[in-house]
Amino acid sequence: DAIAEVGIGTLKIEGRKKKPEYVATVTRSYRGFLDRLAEGTWAPPTAQETQPLVQIFSRGFTGGMYGGRAGRDYVTRTQPDNRGLVLGRVVRLVGNEIVVSVSEPIAVGDGLGFEHPEGAARGNTGFTVTRVRAIKQKGERGRHTQAIPAAAEVGVGWVVVRSAQAALLERARGTYTAGTAGEAGAAERLDVVASGSLGTPLTLSFTANGETVTVESTVPLSLAQKHTLDESKLREQLGRLGETPFVLGALDHSALAPGLFLPVSVLNDLRQEAVRELLARRDSSRHARRAQREAKIDAAIAWPASPALTPPPSPPRSGEGSGPSSRVTGPGGTSASPAAPAVPPFRLTAEVFLLDDARSAADAGADEISLDLFLRHPTPPVSRVRALEEELQGRGKTLRLRTPTIVRPEERRVLDKWLALETPIVSGHLGLVAELATAGRDVVADYAVNCFNQHTAHEIFRLGARRIVLSIELTADEMAQVATPWGGSGFDVLVYGRPEGMTLEHCVLSAAFDREVATCRDLCVQKHPNVQLTDPAGYAFPVATDSACRNRLLHSRPVDGSGYLPSLWAHGLRSYRLVFNVPGDPVGKVTAEYRRMIDALGAGERPDLQSIRAITGGEFTRGHFARAV
């Protein structure tokens, strides 16, 4: 109700890598909650109403960020997988049976977990119930005492958890296995009405999915000598639907005179004729529905009718000219696409977090420096950043400050101090992109805005962004497709570095040392400036403890797209971004090699695409340049 009062009209449910039973249960539950809200009869869901959500898959619930920044309470360290619903305890062991006292009865097919009373870490097992026996127990109202075969070794006092409920799973499957009539794999009900009298043809009307086919026999009905054409005979022959998607439903023979006969072969011919016609109509209807759906999809993804906003031409590098700017749209736009869009000047941007690295990148040939002041503690003095900007300007290079992707209202005051420098900005915060661009600032939209298609690019340019860093989850070919209406102009490609996989509100460093967030900067500044998380496969992921005490989880290896430079270049993508966000990154070496490669492309020469490998060795990934997500 609070979300609705804010004015939000759409909810998103995530079910990635979950079973269809999970999707069905959660969707049905929230459908019910929303319908209640729409009817004006809202009351918070009861425990009974949310029980299916607990049972279908749950590590335990959290209110997320709705009530405020959750911090370490937002993450579970003890339950990495589904736990389910706590039902009760093991009360005794009798022979090969486990006797339990539970709040809800256990049924055959339920999946049970058993946890040691001192915690699952002390003991944790489970199995599927194959048999259950009720035990009468006095003095325990609302409890169920049951005995089940012992398929695992447990002890008295162990906690009983139901991890899978057979009845709930069956109900969930019933919502989609029956399916919509006419869909593949779903049985379609076929109703039949039979009519006729002595000396007239037998008339059969077959109805399925709202379509009715009527067929008549070429042989008239005659008096029966032995086998009467009654309901039993009709159902036997008309129900032989074999491999068809139909199943015989209602059979109305009230308009068929009694005591009549018709050869079985004629009945079979009538059934087959009707089924062929119904299948033809069904296929035609399906084709029509599919064509209608595809037309709607085509209309939805068609290029916007309004003119695309062409990004302003970037200042050319020294010694280069810039072609005329062009306004381009795709099909349906009001502006005509030029036959040959102006070729954008090429640009190399290096993103760093240290001032000395900014100078190293500039010395190595970067045209633009993106400075992420907020990546780690502490931020440098404003005066030093201003001096760096003036120094780079004197060398014909641009300093662009990178904002955090998350900026809460209470953090805006700190950000405004840096925005007051009036430098160009790069930001993955779409609100900041719109706000600052509207105010006339030079703003680049970072890869965190997830520019994944031409529509998104169109909207971000409409907000005023000068350039857009394409999504790091696009292949090289997909990047080219997104940039085609603009001839590649106005887009950056992240070709080297560790992208930010996610931002954590939960500081793993403070949690590891049991310290309070924002009061423990001695840890990340002095004692443990280089933090990593290592996964079970042995990959180490650097963690940047940023200025707002969030954690930015970085990729375990740098992406290197140098092998795709010729292809990107050929599609007009000429602005490349290098990211250096881990202490000790080879800023100067990598920047210099990329400078040499794009200079070679600019001169029409074939670059040495293996030179970066001499620096990275085997510690790199090609990201998604070749393989889609």
Side-chain angles (χ1 to χ4, degrees):
D1 58 337
I3 294 172
E5 288 173 2
V6 171
I8 294 170
T10 303
L11 300 184
K12 178 184 179 185
I13 297 172
E14 295 216 347
R16 294 172 294 177
K17 298 185 178 181
K18 297 293 193 298
K19 295 180 179 180
E21 293 89 346
Y22 171 92
V23 176
T25 300
V26 177
T27 303
R28 177 175 290 273
S29 296
Y30 272 87
R31 178 75 271 160
F33 300 155
L34 286 180
D35 289 347
R36 182 192 307 171
L37 189 66
E39 292 164 359
T41 58
W42 176 254
T46 64
Q48 184 178 3
E49 289 173 321
T50 57
Q51 189 269 345
L53 300 175
V54 178
Q55 187 62 81
I56 199 66
F57 186 97
S58 175
R59 300 182 180 95
F61 287 148
T62 169
M65 303 294 174
Y66 289 113
R69 185 171 172 177
R72 68 182 65 181
D73 296 332
Y74 192 50
V75 180
T76 175
R77 292 174 174 78
T78 59
Q79 192 63 44
D81 206 343
N82 177 40
R83 188 187 188 201
L85 185 69
V86 176
L87 295 181
R89 292 186 178 273
V90 175
V91 292
R92 60 182 179 273
L93 304 175
V94 180
N96 65 342
E97 288 187 322
I98 301 171
V99 179
V100 298
S101 174
V102 290
S103 57
E104 293 186 8
I106 295 166
V108 172
D110 285 355
L112 296 184
F114 296 87
E115 301 173 355
H116 194 282
E118 295 179 13
R122 293 288 307 277
N124 192 356
T125 188
F127 53 81
T128 300
V129 177
T130 58
R131 191 175 71 253
V132 62
R133 179 170 61 87
I135 298 176
K136 291 184 178 181
Q137 192 84 3
K138 296 181 179 180
E140 281 195 290
R141 299 185 64 182
R143 306 291 296 180
H144 304 268
T145 304
Q146 296 175 290
I148 56 178
E153 186 175 344
V154 302
V156 174
W158 282 42
V159 178
V160 181
V161 180
R162 188 171 60 200
S163 56
Q165 185 179 16
L168 175 63
L169 292 171
E170 191 60 34
R171 286 199 303 272
R173 292 188 195 106
T175 65
Y176 61 84
T177 53
T180 302
E183 293 301 320
E188 303 174 37
R189 174 171 167 161
L190 181 64
D191 296 331
V192 182
V193 176
S195 62
S197 57
L198 181 64
T200 68
L202 172 66
T203 301
L204 297 175
S205 293
F206 294 77
T207 301
N209 302 324
E211 293 282 351
T212 298
V213 171
T214 300
V215 292
E216 289 186 348
S217 65
T218 56
V219 178
L221 291 161
S222 60
L223 286 173
Q225 300 297 322
K226 292 182 180 180
H227 303 292
T228 302
L229 195 61
D230 55 12
E231 180 179 6
S232 174
K233 178 60 69 176
L234 285 169
R235 187 168 286 280
E236 177 187 355
Q237 297 302 320
L238 300 181
R240 295 186 174 186
L241 295 165
E243 298 300 320
T244 74
F246 302 114
V247 60
L248 185 60
L251 174 61
D252 180 0
H253 62 100
S254 59
L256 178 63
L260 300 179
F261 169 78
L262 196 70
V264 169
S265 60
V266 177
L267 276 177
N268 290 338
D269 289 343
L270 292 176
R271 183 194 70 238
Q272 292 168 2
E273 180 185 351
V275 167
R276 280 196 299 270
E277 177 62 23
L278 284 171
L279 287 175
R281 292 189 187 184
R282 186 187 73 157
D283 291 342
S284 176
S285 177
R286 277 184 174 179
H287 290 318
R289 288 198 305 271
R290 180 167 296 186
Q292 184 180 37
R293 181 182 65 184
E294 290 179 353
K296 289 182 178 179
I297 293 172
D298 290 342
I301 65 175
W303 186 252
S306 59
L309 300 183
T310 300
S314 302
R317 294 182 61 233
S318 178
E320 294 178 347
S322 68
S325 62
S326 57
R327 184 179 293 272
V328 186
T329 69
T334 57
S335 299
S337 299
V343 177
F346 53 88
R347 177 191 297 102
L348 183 62
T349 298
E351 183 175 299
V352 299
F353 68 98
L354 297 173
L355 303 188
D356 287 342
D357 283 349
R359 294 184 173 90
S360 295
D363 292 343
D367 304 301
E368 181 174 291
I369 305 299
S370 174
L371 183 61
D372 191 349
L373 295 164
F374 309 96
L375 184 69
R376 286 178 169 84
H377 291 300
T379 56
V382 173
S383 58
R384 291 188 60 195
V385 175
R386 191 184 299 277
L388 174 65
E389 180 191 20
E390 293 172 354
E391 177 186 334
L392 293 175
Q393 284 179 343
R395 301 171 61 180
K397 300 177 186 290
T398 301
L399 178 68
R400 188 177 297 273
L401 294 187
R402 183 177 192 249
T403 77
T405 302
I406 298 174
V407 180
R408 293 188 179 277
E410 61 271 19
E411 298 157 1
R412 184 59 190 263
R413 180 180 57 83
V414 175
L415 178 62
D416 284 343
K417 177 184 73 171
W418 294 102
L419 293 178
L421 289 175
E422 297 292 332
T423 65
I425 295 294
V426 56
S427 180
H429 188 303
L430 201 57
L432 283 174
V433 170
E435 175 192 336
L436 298 175
T438 301
R441 298 287 289 271
D442 175 355
V443 181
V444 169
D446 202 4
Y447 62 85
V449 301
N450 288 324
C451 182
F452 223 86
N453 53 51
Q454 295 173 359
H455 290 277
T456 309
H458 177 271
E459 288 301 311
I460 296 172
F461 282 142
R462 188 180 63 81
L463 293 176
R466 300 285 183 91
R467 305 198 317 266
I468 301 170
V469 185
L470 288 162
S471 169
I472 59 172
E473 294 186 353
L474 293 171
T475 65
D477 288 342
E478 289 169 341
M479 290 179 181
Q481 292 171 26
V482 174
T484 292
W486 294 271
S489 180
F491 294 93
D492 283 17
V493 179
L494 194 159
V495 291
Y496 181 87
R498 290 178 169 87
E500 296 172 11
M502 64 179 71
T503 299
L504 309 177
E505 291 278 3
H506 166 68
C507 177
V508 296
L509 190 59
S510 65
F513 289 88
D514 197 24
R515 299 280 295 277
E516 288 298 320
V517 177
T519 64
C520 55
R521 293 184 178 177
D522 58 305
L523 291 176
C524 58
V525 175
Q526 301 171 9
K527 300 175 182 176
H528 303 281
N530 297 324
V531 181
Q532 293 183 334
L533 293 179
T534 304
D535 71 5
Y539 286 95
F541 295 79
V543 177
T545 51
D546 77 4
S547 61
C549 293
R550 297 184 179 93
N551 288 179
R552 302 192 206 175
L553 187 67
L554 310 178
H555 282 209
S556 62
R557 296 182 179 186
V559 172
D560 175 35
S562 58
Y564 300 90
L565 282 177
S567 174
L568 297 169
W569 185 275
H571 286 99
L573 291 162
R574 307 288 174 82
S575 190
Y576 310 107
R577 181 169 293 265
L578 316 175
V579 174
F580 305 101
N581 47 19
V582 174
D585 272 344
V587 178
K589 291 181 179 179
V590 170
T591 304
E593 288 303 322
Y594 267 94
R595 177 81 270 163
R596 277 192 280 272
M597 284 188 283
I598 66 172
D599 283 347
L601 288 167
E605 301 171 357
R606 178 73 179 178
D608 178 8
L609 300 179
Q610 299 301 316
S611 58
I612 292 294
R613 301 291 184 269
I615 301 171
T616 61
E619 295 298 318
F620 73 95
T621 173
R622 287 176 292 184
H624 294 296
F625 280 104
R627 185 164 59 98
V629 175

